[in-house]
């Protein structure tokens, strides 16, 4: 670290001395609370039940695509325009904007994948109190009440969701500052302006924070004045809500009464606290509600700083209190109330009506897209630290994995690999021959990731900086000059990624003739893209910085998405559109799933951080981002050997599997902790590689349908209330249940096996267990409790090699778990593992595997696809089987072959050896 700091300027050295020293804990004083955020404080001061808004029913217009209606604030006479859309797929869109704003208000671009298709609304009835509209579905309608304005979505006699039922709609209209007001043209214009100059709801015109706000040493000038918005939603019958990542908190969101709301504002938070509503690196303004009757979603499409309040009429009740309600026949219906507050923009909200979890995932992905389908190798193991020192260090680590027989696919280089923190460059002394280094990895069928951050060193000898400045592509400060701040290189400029021309230029820099030393096996990591500004307010960009005509306050949470978007496009373009990219981002927004992976940021080598990685990734999966992981071992501090082993065992069953560590921590390659721990880590990593066919299949489905890869149990068991708050175990797809050991010194875990009538098989011992029970499992340091659902078929590859690419043509083993409840089914998906040919040319294999009536068969699920694989079926393991007299393999050419088999009567496990049939053809194995 000392050598690293010497190269920095004196002011940055002073800042780093504070930022990177001491107790390694977040300084909460660097980040605002709601009371320190003027608009949040104003909005939160509003009292429920006093809504000034009234619907002007005489202004109602109904077309084939939407309903429009004016709302008026009776306190200040400012009018709003309400737009209602019935969308295909059982969704409703509600937009509210000023009817005549002084200037346009920001509406979020580039997040929706298209203009959502609409379906006609039909007017059922209207009187002076409101209107009733049909939403098309059986007994489903929308009621607009006039005074006060309110929306209710009904199904039969049941209210599914209400808007402004608590009267907390608040829309701070744009206005001219009175002490700078110039005489507007015309009396009519002056009359409108006078109305628009009224104080915002809940404040006086003299109240601090409307036009200027100071936090610590930073002053935020607000040329547009107060512009915040708010709307409340009521969810009758709901006690469980989820989502709105990123927060280091439980899966089930907590009520915020008596504390701060959950905050959505992308920030570089140094060693974040747990169980806290503070903002972190990413922000996805999507919340899911779930009850035994229905799952719904709310997508608040706003990229400004946002706070979310949650309250519940059952919060805080003890189990005894709930039992007393039941015994006394209490008729109070559970209800959760949610309030969204954003600093600027408009109200644009999508209400996803489900009714099932799968429906909500499909609805949301139809709006913002699905998870990018990664190269298969990206699902394997990644080795990273800040920093591998030089080419020799990279070669030594690479060789270490081979010597200790541990597979890996990617080795990563952090900021120290560059020439003085100039991205797209290499340190000429430490990495003088990057292509030789990369070719060494190619020879072993391995890959590299290098970091490319979006802060650019201000240096007239640096080509990247000169081109961005000459093209006018930097974010501007409020005075029109290039915005500059401190980051790793020292004084830095920040490219304006909201500009499509800037994004296109950035993408072009990844071309092999532009990014010198890069090769086909090199991919990219976008860090610090909140953006991080070390000397900025809350360690980020000033809100009055300008992206074209818009302030950073309007679109702050989009910045990271745009960085990853441009980078992914660059990796695609460099291959002529052939190769799938892999890009990891720290900052994200709704839609980021289309561009790659995310991780949970700068965590700590502590047991609680290991535990929190599960709900953090589950929350991301619920809102579209399946490709999630946490730094294995913890970024800060040094893990005990037990914690490191347990983290590898957990990470091996999470979607993104990467070890990473801080510059100041001791080296922690897997073989540095003694042979026993090396063996334990090796086994965890090998389990990941054996399961890669299943992981790849899950990501194929996530890409096509939006279903999460890593799921809470309630997604598959939506009526089992015991699962609704669980976040220490999870499902991979439908068929694998994982309960990692996350307690120090743990000697046992209690796993809940869901499903009445289900059976679950321990994947290590093949022991069968009944569902709908809490199962205590004794564990040792080698244990990773994983169960396969009865009625499923999971493909694996038993021949684990040095990298996933080395296993490309290896044979498959099928694990068939039988169930008394259903036939067993599964799938096998195969393509080339790295190009877009699966999509553009339909070059893939997709097979349906079924076991019914003592016959296991493979049938083609994609008759129009074309792909040839040399892989074959090497072995079939049937769990819960009975002993057959013979097993016969039948192929389409009419041939029949008897198969060798073994039967373990004590465990009811039948193993069929060497079917030898190609994995891409039809076949049937008949047991007699």
């Amino acid at each position: 670290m000392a050598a690293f700091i010497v190269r920095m300027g004196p002011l940055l050295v002073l800042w780093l001395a504070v930022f990177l020293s001491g107790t390694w804990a977040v300084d909460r004083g660097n980040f605002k609370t709601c009371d320190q955020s003027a608009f949040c404080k104003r909005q939160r001061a509003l009292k429920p039940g006093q809504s000034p808004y009234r619907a002007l029913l005489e202004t109602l217009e109904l077309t084939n695509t939407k309903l429009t209606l004016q709302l008026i604030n009776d306190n200040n006479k400012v009018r709003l325009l309400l737009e209602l859309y019935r969308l295909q797929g059982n969704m409703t869109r509600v937009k509210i904007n000023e009817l005549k704003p002084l200037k346009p208000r920001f509406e979020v671009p580039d997040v929706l994948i298209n203009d959502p298709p609409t379906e006609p609304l039909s007017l059922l009835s209207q009187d002076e109190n409101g209107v009733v509209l049909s939403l098309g579905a059986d007994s489903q309608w929308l009621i607009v009440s006039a005074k006060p304005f309110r929306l209710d979505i009904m199904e039969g006699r049941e209210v599914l969701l209400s808007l402004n039922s608590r009267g907390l709609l608040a829309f701070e209209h744009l206005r001219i500052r009175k002490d700078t007001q110039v005489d507007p043209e015309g009396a009519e214009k002056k009359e409108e302006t006078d109305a628009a100059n009224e104080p915002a709801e809940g404040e006086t015109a003299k109240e601090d924070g409307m036009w200027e706000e100071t936090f610590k040493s930073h002053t935020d000038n607000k040329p547009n004045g107060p512009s915040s918005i708010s709307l409340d939603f009521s969810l009758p019958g709901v006690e469980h809500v989820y989502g709105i990542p990123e927060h280091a908190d439980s899966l089930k969101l907590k009520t915020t009464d008596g504390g701060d709301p959950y905050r959505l504002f992308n920030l570089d938070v140094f060693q974040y606290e747990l169980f806290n509503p503070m903002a972190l690196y990413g922000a996805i303004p999507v919340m899911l509600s779930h009850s035994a009757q229905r799952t719904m979603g709310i997508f608040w499409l706003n990229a400004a700083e946002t706070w979310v309040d949650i309250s519940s009429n059952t919060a805080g009740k003890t189990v005894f209190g709930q039992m007393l309600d039941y015994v006394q026949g209490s008729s109070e219906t559970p209800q959760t109330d949610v309030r969204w507050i954003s600093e600027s923009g408009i109200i644009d909200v999508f209400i996803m009506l489900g009714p099932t979890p799968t429906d909500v995932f499909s609805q949301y992905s139809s709006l913002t897209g699905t998870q990018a389908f990664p190269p298969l190798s990206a699902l394997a193991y990644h080795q990273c630290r800040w920093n591998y020192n030089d080419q020799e260090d990279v070669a030594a680590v690479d060789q270490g994995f081979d010597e200790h027989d541990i597979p890996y696919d990617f080795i990563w280089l952090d900021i120290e690999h560059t020439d003085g923190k100039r991205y797209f460059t290499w340190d000429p002394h430490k990495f003088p021959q990057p292509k030789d280094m990369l070719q060494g990895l190619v020879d072993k069928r391995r890959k590299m990731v290098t970091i490319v951050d979006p802060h650019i060193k201000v240096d007239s000898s640096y080509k990247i900086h000169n081109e961005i400045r000459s093209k006018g592509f930097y974010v501007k400060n409020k005075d029109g000059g290039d915005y500059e701040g401190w980051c790793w290189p020292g004084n830095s400029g920040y490219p304006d990624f909201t500009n499509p021309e800037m994004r296109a230029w950035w993408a072009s820099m990844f071309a092999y003739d532009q990014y010198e030393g890069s090769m086909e096996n090199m991919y990219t990591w976008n860090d610090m893209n909140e953006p991080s500004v070390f000397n900025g307010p809350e360690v980020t960009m000033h809100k009055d910085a300008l992206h074209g005509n818009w302030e950073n306050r309007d679109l702050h949470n989009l910045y990271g998405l745009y960085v990853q978007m441009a980078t992914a496009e660059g990796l695609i373009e460099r291959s002529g559109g052939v190769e799938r990219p892999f890009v990891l981002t720290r900052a994200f927004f709704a839609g980021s799933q289309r561009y790659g992976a995310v991780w949970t940021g700068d965590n700590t080598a502590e047991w609680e951080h290991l535990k929190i990685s599960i709900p953090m990734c589950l929350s991301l999966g619920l809102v579209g981002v399946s490709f999630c992981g946490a730094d294995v071992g913890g970024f800060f501090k040094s893990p005990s050997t037990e914690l490191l082993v347990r983290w590898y065992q957990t990470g091996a069953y999470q979607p993104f599997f990467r070890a990473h560590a801080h510059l100041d921590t001791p080296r922690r390659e897997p073989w540095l902790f003694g042979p026993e721990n090396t063996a334990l880590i090796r086994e965890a990593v090998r389990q990941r590689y054996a399961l890669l066919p299943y992981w790849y299949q899950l990501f194929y489905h996530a890409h096509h349908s939006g279903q999460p890869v890593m799921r809470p149990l309630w997604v598959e068991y939506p009526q089992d209330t015991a699962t609704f708050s669980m976040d220490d175990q999870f499902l991979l797809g439908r068929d694998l249940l994982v309960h990692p050991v996350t307690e120090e010194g743990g000697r046992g875990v209690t796993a809940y096996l869901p499903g009445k009538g289900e059976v679950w098989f321990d994947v290590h011992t093949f022991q069968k267990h009944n569902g709908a029970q809490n199962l205590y499992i004794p564990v040792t340091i080698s244990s990773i409790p994983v169960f396969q659902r009865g009625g499923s078929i999971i493909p694996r590859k038993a021949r684990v090699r040095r990298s996933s690419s080395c296993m490309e043509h290896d044979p498959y083993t099928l694990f068939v778990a039988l169930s008394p409840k259903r036939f067993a089914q599964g799938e096998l998906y195969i393509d080339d593992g790295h190009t877009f040919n699966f999509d553009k040319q339909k070059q893939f294999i997709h097979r349906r595997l079924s076991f019914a009536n003592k016959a296991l068969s493979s049938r083609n699920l994609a008759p129009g696809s074309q792909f040839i694989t040399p892989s074959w079926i090497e072995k079939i393991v049937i769990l819960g089987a009975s002993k057959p007299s013979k097993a016969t393999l039948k192929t389409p050419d009419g041939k029949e072959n008897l198969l060798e088999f073994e039967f373990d009567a004590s465990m009811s496990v039948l193993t069929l050896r060497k079917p030898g049939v190609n994995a891409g053809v039809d076949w049937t194995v008949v047991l007699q």
Side-chain angles (χ1 to χ4, degrees):
M1 176 64 82
F4 158 68
I5 291 180
V6 163
R7 299 195 296 271
M8 298 273 180
L11 287 176
L12 190 54
V13 170
L14 177 62
W15 183 90
L16 286 168
V18 176
F19 192 66
L20 297 178
S21 64
T23 60
W24 273 6
V26 65
D27 181 356
R28 296 185 64 177
N30 283 331
F31 305 101
K32 290 182 180 180
T33 64
C34 179
D35 276 348
Q36 294 169 317
S37 176
F39 80 91
C40 183
K41 184 177 181 180
R42 286 197 304 271
Q43 291 279 7
R44 229 183 180 199
L46 299 181
K47 303 301 182 186
Q50 300 176 16
S51 177
Y53 290 96
R54 173 167 53 93
L56 301 175
L57 298 180
E58 66 276 11
T59 66
L60 185 148
E61 294 183 11
L62 185 62
T63 68
N64 285 335
T65 58
K66 66 180 178 180
L67 175 146
T68 60
L69 180 66
Q70 291 181 28
L71 311 177
I72 189 168
N73 182 330
D74 282 330
N75 290 346
N76 58 22
K77 309 308 178 187
V78 173
R79 294 193 180 197
L80 306 178
L81 179 65
L82 167 72
E83 299 175 75
L84 289 176
Y85 301 82
R86 174 188 163 205
L87 303 182
Q88 290 181 12
N90 202 22
M91 294 181 285
T92 299
R93 183 180 191 179
V94 180
K95 293 181 73 173
I96 303 176
N97 197 352
E98 293 185 57
L99 180 65
K100 295 181 179 180
L102 292 181
K103 61 174 69 176
R105 297 179 68 115
F106 185 74
E107 298 188 38
V108 176
D110 301 316
V111 168
L112 302 179
I113 56 175
N114 52 41
D115 193 14
T118 62
E119 295 181 337
L121 287 161
S122 56
L123 185 63
L124 298 180
S125 65
Q126 177 176 355
D127 60 23
E128 69 276 7
N129 297 314
V131 297
V132 180
L133 302 158
S134 171
L135 290 177
D138 293 341
S139 303
Q140 198 173 91
W141 55 81
L142 188 151
I143 300 173
V144 181
S145 300
K147 187 176 182 180
F149 164 70
R150 169 176 171 153
L151 292 178
D152 292 281
I153 297 178
M154 309 277 296
E155 187 170 82
R157 296 185 177 182
E158 178 187 3
V159 177
L160 302 182
L161 178 144
S162 301
L163 284 71
N164 202 39
S165 61
R166 298 165 66 215
L168 294 174
L169 167 64
F171 209 104
E172 292 184 335
H173 51 276
L174 301 181
R175 66 203 74 188
I176 296 173
R177 189 169 184 171
K178 286 188 175 182
D179 58 6
T180 61
Q181 182 176 338
V182 296
D183 188 32
E185 297 180 6
E188 180 180 350
K189 181 69 176 178
K190 185 174 190 309
E191 182 179 343
E192 293 176 3
T193 304
D194 287 344
N197 285 339
E198 291 296 322
E201 291 87 348
E203 67 170 346
T204 66
K206 294 182 180 180
E207 185 172 339
D208 290 341
M210 290 178 62
W211 297 93
E212 187 176 278
E213 182 175 356
T214 299
F215 178 68
K216 300 187 78 171
S217 62
H218 300 282
T219 298
D220 176 18
N221 294 289
K222 303 180 181 182
N224 296 318
S227 58
S228 68
I229 57 175
S230 167
L231 184 59
D232 65 278
F233 300 77
S234 293
L235 299 160
V238 169
E239 295 182 83
H240 295 80
V241 289
Y242 313 89
I244 57 171
E246 183 177 35
H247 299 96
D249 208 347
S250 56
L251 176 63
K252 179 193 173 186
L253 297 171
K254 300 180 176 70
T255 58
T256 58
D257 298 331
D260 258 11
Y262 284 97
R263 191 184 188 197
L264 295 172
F265 189 59
N266 292 359
L267 292 172
D268 180 359
V269 181
F270 179 83
Q271 196 183 349
Y272 49 83
E273 289 185 5
L274 307 185
F275 305 108
N276 192 304
M278 289 175 65
L280 289 179
Y281 312 98
I284 301 182
V286 178
M287 180 182 289
L288 274 65
S289 68
H290 179 71
S291 68
Q293 289 72 43
R294 179 178 291 267
T295 308
M296 295 188 296
I298 299 171
F299 174 25
W300 178 266
L301 183 52
N302 190 295
E305 178 186 351
T306 296
W307 301 77
V308 184
D309 256 325
I310 301 170
S311 59
S312 169
N313 62 359
T314 58
K317 282 192 176 181
T318 62
V319 173
F320 176 77
Q322 292 173 345
M323 290 176 61
L324 190 64
D325 286 348
Y326 177 78
V327 170
Q328 294 177 344
S330 173
S331 60
E332 182 179 31
T333 301
Q335 178 168 303
T336 295
D337 297 311
V338 180
R339 185 187 183 196
W340 301 75
I341 304 168
S342 293
E343 184 173 12
S344 64
I346 70 167
I347 292 173
D348 189 0
V349 61
F350 297 81
I351 300 164
M352 300 168 283
L353 295 173
T356 69
T358 296
D359 291 330
V360 173
F361 302 141
S362 297
Q363 287 157 0
Y364 179 63
S365 64
S366 75
L367 298 172
T368 67
T370 59
Q371 174 67 57
F373 191 27
L376 188 150
S377 57
L379 301 178
Y381 175 62
H382 301 251
Q383 180 67 30
C384 182
R385 77 171 278 111
W386 177 24
N387 201 88
Y388 286 118
N389 299 325
D390 48 35
Q391 287 183 214
E392 291 73 24
D393 197 8
V394 170
V397 172
D398 176 72
Q399 185 62 30
F401 276 90
D402 290 338
E403 290 174 354
H404 295 89
D405 195 25
I406 301 173
Y408 89 96
D409 270 62
F410 284 82
I411 191 164
W412 292 52
L413 295 180
D414 210 319
I415 54 177
E416 308 304 324
H417 84 278
T418 62
D419 181 7
K421 313 301 186 299
R422 298 170 181 87
Y423 303 106
F424 298 100
T425 71
W426 303 85
D427 185 308
H429 305 291
K430 296 179 178 180
F431 296 92
Q433 301 294 334
K435 285 193 174 182
D436 290 348
M437 175 180 61
L438 289 164
Q439 186 59 49
L441 296 173
V442 169
D443 293 343
K444 294 184 177 182
R445 305 190 72 178
R446 286 173 174 152
K447 301 170 177 65
M448 174 171 279
V449 170
T450 58
I451 197 165
V452 180
D453 287 348
H455 49 261
I456 303 301
K457 184 178 180 68
V458 175
D459 176 358
S460 60
S461 64
Y462 180 24
K463 181 186 76 170
I464 297 292
H465 163 69
N466 288 338
E467 289 202 33
I468 295 174
R469 173 162 286 180
S470 67
K471 294 175 184 293
F473 284 163
Y474 277 126
V475 175
K476 306 302 180 186
N477 59 38
K478 63 181 180 178
D479 300 317
D482 288 346
Y483 177 89
E484 294 180 359
W486 291 346
C487 209
W488 296 127
N491 196 36
S492 303
Y494 290 79
D496 185 1
F497 285 91
T498 69
N499 181 347
E501 293 181 7
M502 166 60 212
R503 295 199 300 271
W505 177 86
W506 180 267
S508 73
M509 290 298 99
F510 290 90
Y512 298 122
D513 61 352
Q514 295 291 328
Y515 193 164
E516 293 183 12
S518 64
M519 290 175 56
E520 294 86 349
N521 66 326
M522 198 177 88
Y523 297 82
T524 307
W525 172 17
N526 294 147
D527 197 0
M528 316 297 286
N529 54 336
E530 294 76 26
S532 180
V533 183
F534 291 163
N535 61 335
E538 301 192 89
V539 201
T540 194
M541 188 173 285
H542 292 71
K543 287 183 175 179
D544 54 11
L546 295 173
H547 305 258
N549 294 324
W550 299 106
E551 289 188 290
N552 182 263
R553 87 177 69 252
D554 299 313
L555 51 79
H556 175 87
N557 290 340
L558 287 175
Y559 192 85
L561 175 143
Y562 278 132
V563 175
Q564 190 185 24
M565 177 193 295
T567 303
E569 186 57 35
L571 298 190
I572 295 170
E573 286 179 3
R574 73 178 186 179
S575 71
V578 173
E579 297 290 329
R580 284 177 250 165
F582 171 69
V583 181
L584 179 72
T585 182
R586 190 170 72 175
F588 51 83
F589 189 67
S592 287
Q593 68 271 12
R594 305 197 298 264
Y595 304 108
V598 306
W599 92 107
T600 61
D602 296 342
N603 60 359
T604 305
E606 296 173 351
W607 286 93
E608 290 301 313
H609 275 261
L610 168 59
K611 294 174 187 176
I612 208 73
S613 71
I614 298 174
M616 288 183 77
C617 280
L618 286 172
S619 295
L620 281 160
L622 289 175
V623 297
V625 181
S626 274
F627 207 177
C628 168
D631 286 344
V632 169
F635 179 67
F636 291 111
K637 300 186 180 180
S638 298
S640 66
T641 53
E642 181 191 5
L643 175 57
L644 184 64
V645 167
R646 289 303 192 196
W647 215 317
Y648 268 98
Q649 293 171 343
T650 302
Y653 287 91
Q654 292 178 340
F656 177 54
F657 184 24
R658 182 187 74 154
H660 187 36
H662 189 276
L663 184 75
D664 279 350
T665 62
R667 294 288 286 256
R668 62 168 87 139
E669 282 73 43
W671 52 87
L672 297 179
F673 301 89
E676 291 184 3
N677 291 306
T678 299
L680 292 167
I681 293 171
R682 178 190 301 117
E683 174 58 24
V685 176
R686 289 174 65 87
Q687 286 187 32
R688 172 57 165 241
Y689 275 73
L691 202 56
L692 282 176
Y694 184 64
W695 279 106
Y696 199 49
Q697 170 189 311
L698 293 179
F699 270 88
Y700 176 76
H701 282 292
H703 176 64
H704 276 274
S705 67
Q707 307 303 306
V709 169
M710 180 180 173
R711 307 172 186 176
L713 271 64
W714 61 259
V715 168
E716 295 298 331
Y717 298 89
Q719 295 182 313
D720 187 345
T721 57
T723 68
F724 291 1
S725 297
M726 284 184 179
D727 58 13
D728 58 353
Q729 62 182 71
F730 53 90
L731 292 169
L732 297 177
R734 291 182 304 172
D735 298 332
L736 281 185
L737 185 150
V738 185
H739 193 307
V741 181
T742 58
E743 292 286 347
E744 184 175 11
R747 297 183 178 181
V749 299
T750 299
Y752 180 71
L753 304 181
K756 186 175 182 180
E758 297 269 21
V759 293
W760 295 85
F761 294 87
D762 186 312
V763 301
H764 308 297
T765 67
F766 302 147
Q767 180 73 42
K768 183 172 72 172
H769 304 280
N770 292 325
Q773 67 156 322
N774 288 298
L775 178 69
Y776 180 77
I777 308 156
V779 298
T780 66
I781 190 60
S782 66
S783 302
I784 314 176
V786 182
F787 300 87
Q788 181 174 343
R789 185 179 64 90
S792 67
I793 302 174
I794 290 179
R796 295 173 180 258
K797 287 192 173 183
R799 304 183 187 187
V800 175
R801 305 186 190 272
R802 63 166 45 139
S803 73
S804 65
S805 296
C806 293
M807 300 165 60
E808 178 181 4
H809 301 310
D810 282 349
Y812 292 87
T813 296
L814 304 180
F815 285 81
V816 183
L818 302 185
S819 168
K821 192 173 182 179
R822 68 175 69 83
F823 296 140
Q825 289 195 332
E827 296 177 21
L828 180 60
Y829 177 83
I830 307 171
D831 62 20
D832 64 23
H834 59 95
T835 75
F836 287 105
N837 291 346
F838 77 95
D839 185 43
K840 295 179 179 178
Q841 301 178 25
K842 305 302 177 187
Q843 293 185 4
F844 63 90
I845 292 167
H846 195 191
R847 312 291 303 179
R848 165 68 71 195
L849 306 172
S850 302
F851 187 95
N853 302 318
K854 297 186 177 181
L856 175 65
S857 63
S858 173
R859 296 292 180 266
N860 193 358
L861 276 174
S865 65
Q866 295 182 347
F867 189 72
I868 297 174
T869 178
S871 297
W872 69 100
I873 307 301
E874 181 178 41
K875 186 165 63 174
I876 299 168
V877 181
I878 304 177
L879 312 180
S882 54
K883 184 177 181 179
S885 57
K886 64 179 181 178
T888 306
L889 172 67
K890 298 182 179 182
T891 53
D893 57 10
K895 293 182 180 179
E896 297 188 5
N897 296 308
L898 290 178
L899 299 180
E900 298 178 7
F901 66 85
E902 297 175 359
F903 182 71
D904 182 342
S906 65
M907 300 301 294
S908 299
V909 176
L910 175 66
T911 303
L912 306 175
R913 300 197 178 278
K914 299 179 180 179
V917 63
N918 186 277
V921 303
D922 289 353
W923 53 265
T924 302
V925 172
V926 178
L927 305 179
Q928 294 176 308

